[in-house]
Amino acid sequence: MPTTRIKSFWVFLKEYTLITIGLLLYIVGWTTFLLPNNLIGGGVSGISSVIQYATGGAIKVGTCYFIINAILLIVAFFILGRSFGGKTVYAIILVSVGLNVFQDIIPREIIQTLSIDNGKLMSTIMGGILAGVGIGMSMSQGGSTGGTDIIALIVNKYRNVSPGRMLLLMDVVIIVSSILVPSYTSDGSLMPFADKFTTMVYGLILITICSTVLDLYLSGSKQSVQLMILSKKYNEIADAITQDFHRGVTVLNGKGWYTKNDVQVVMVITRKADLNILLRFIKTIDPDVFLSVSSVTGVYGQGFDTIKTSKAKNTTVKNS
């Protein structure tokens, strides 16, 4: 149907627009705040930054980022199957190009004012916030930057190790091991060992900030609310929510104990971000509506989150 195709196009456009904005924030965080201060992060970006510092900028971070992710994708294709789609490939290409290009196009005056003059601690905080928000925007639309999460999934396939714990361990190893690799600043001078140790500490702070902001963003974007609506115009409200907001509605039979009258209760679950618009819309249908709003901790099913299950491992029980 043409309507379905138009709707699919707008959904596609919205998802890739938000993924692009998120990845651009991630790129700006690295190229404006982290790389000019020779700061280290986790994941493939952290490994790539170490290589750029060690080569004095001869091998740029975006080039390493693309090569490492391409290798990981090929390995994942044979081990994990086709579990990484077009959004992941798009993200890897965009970040790889952006990390190289933005280092050249952002004026040095802006970097000097925003990043270098404010010191490494403030740059760590700002870079971590931008990277966390950027990854969160991408992940909320089904995007992924690939990277070390591929390694975590591969390890998790053969060992009973939490992917989150594996990612944290790899980030810590990358940052701590960077102290063993020589680093050269943008002016070509070798970074002293004391500065490298400080940079390692900033790196640990960076991954903490980035992961915290990421969790806050994802929990906020996925937070849902439940509405219980009592109205004489429940038919109109239920139809409007179903047809205009494309949300499932359940009508429950109830009884007002004070009046002893039968009532119908409209129950609907929606994203918190859509709540204000929905409330105003309901108010236009019935100004005297009575409703309650409550937060829900988890919503699983069509239109919301997916229940993730893992295949149970085969075990052999020996009878004694």
Side-chain angles (χ1 to χ4, degrees):
M1 295 176 63
T3 305
T4 304
R5 291 180 180 178
I6 293 174
K7 182 180 178 181
S8 299
F9 170 76
W10 285 111
V11 171
F12 173 87
L13 183 63
K14 185 203 79 169
E15 290 179 348
Y16 273 85
T17 299
L18 291 176
I19 289 174
T20 302
I21 294 173
L23 295 176
L24 289 176
L25 289 175
Y26 180 82
I27 293 168
V28 169
W30 269 94
T31 55
T32 304
F33 295 99
L34 303 180
L35 294 176
N37 285 287
N38 278 58
L39 292 170
I40 307 294
V44 174
S45 299
I47 298 174
S48 303
S49 64
V50 171
I51 295 175
Q52 174 170 311
Y53 303 149
T55 59
I59 303 178
K60 286 193 172 183
V61 60
T63 305
C64 298
Y65 186 91
F66 178 79
I67 294 174
I68 295 173
N69 272 295
I71 295 173
L72 290 175
L73 282 177
I74 294 173
V75 174
F77 177 80
F78 289 103
I79 297 178
L80 301 176
R82 299 180 180 181
S83 57
F84 298 91
K87 292 179 181 178
T88 300
V89 176
Y90 170 75
I92 291 173
I93 295 175
L94 179 60
V95 173
S96 300
V97 175
L99 287 174
N100 281 354
V101 173
F102 274 54
Q103 291 187 72
D104 298 326
I105 65 174
I106 298 178
R108 295 298 305 175
E109 295 79 10
I110 294 178
I111 294 177
Q112 183 71 35
T113 303
L114 295 180
S115 176
I116 298 176
D117 289 348
N118 285 323
K120 289 189 175 184
L121 180 58
M122 183 58 66
S123 296
T124 299
I125 296 172
M126 292 302 301
I129 291 174
L130 287 174
V133 173
I135 296 174
M137 289 184 67
S138 178
M139 291 181 64
S140 67
Q141 302 302 314
S144 170
T145 55
T148 51
D149 56 344
I150 298 177
I151 300 176
L153 291 174
I154 293 174
V155 173
N156 181 254
K157 182 177 180 179
Y158 299 101
R159 294 287 185 272
N160 188 23
V161 180
S162 167
R165 187 173 300 177
M166 188 69 190
L167 284 171
L168 178 61
L169 178 61
M170 285 189 290
D171 287 344
V172 171
V173 170
I174 291 169
I175 293 172
V176 172
S177 62
S178 67
I179 201 171
L180 304 176
V181 181
S183 296
Y184 295 89
T185 59
S186 57
D187 59 3
S189 60
L190 181 65
M191 182 181 292
F193 180 81
D195 291 345
K196 287 177 62 62
F197 183 83
T198 306
T199 301
M200 179 192 71
V201 176
Y202 284 134
L204 297 176
I205 297 174
L206 174 63
I207 62 173
T208 303
I209 295 174
C210 184
S211 61
T212 302
V213 172
L214 172 61
D215 290 340
L216 289 173
Y217 184 93
L218 291 179
S219 62
S221 64
K222 292 184 178 181
Q223 189 172 359
S224 301
V225 293
Q226 177 179 278
L227 282 77
M228 305 294 286
I229 306 166
L230 287 86
S231 171
K232 294 179 179 179
K233 299 181 179 180
Y234 70 92
N235 283 322
E236 297 178 44
I237 293 175
D239 289 339
I241 294 174
T242 303
Q243 296 171 9
D244 297 334
F245 284 87
H246 306 289
R247 285 296 183 191
V249 173
T250 301
V251 179
L252 307 173
N253 294 322
K255 189 179 186 68
W257 200 247
Y258 180 78
T259 62
K260 300 299 189 290
N261 294 329
D262 294 332
V263 295
Q264 281 69 43
V265 182
V266 178
M267 185 185 74
V268 59
I269 297 177
T270 187
R271 295 295 188 191
K272 189 175 183 180
D274 301 328
L275 177 60
N276 290 332
I277 298 176
L278 182 58
L279 290 177
R280 288 196 295 267
F281 190 71
I282 294 173
K283 192 74 172 179
T284 61
I285 299 176
D286 183 4
D288 299 321
V289 65
F290 179 86
L291 57 82
S292 66
V293 180
S294 58
S295 297
V296 290
T297 56
V299 182
Y300 303 95
Q302 186 174 1
F304 292 91
D305 296 332
T306 302
I307 299 176
K308 295 180 174 62
T309 58
S310 57
K311 295 181 180 180
K313 295 183 178 180
N314 294 328
T315 57
T316 302
V317 179
K318 295 182 180 181
N319 295 323
S320 56

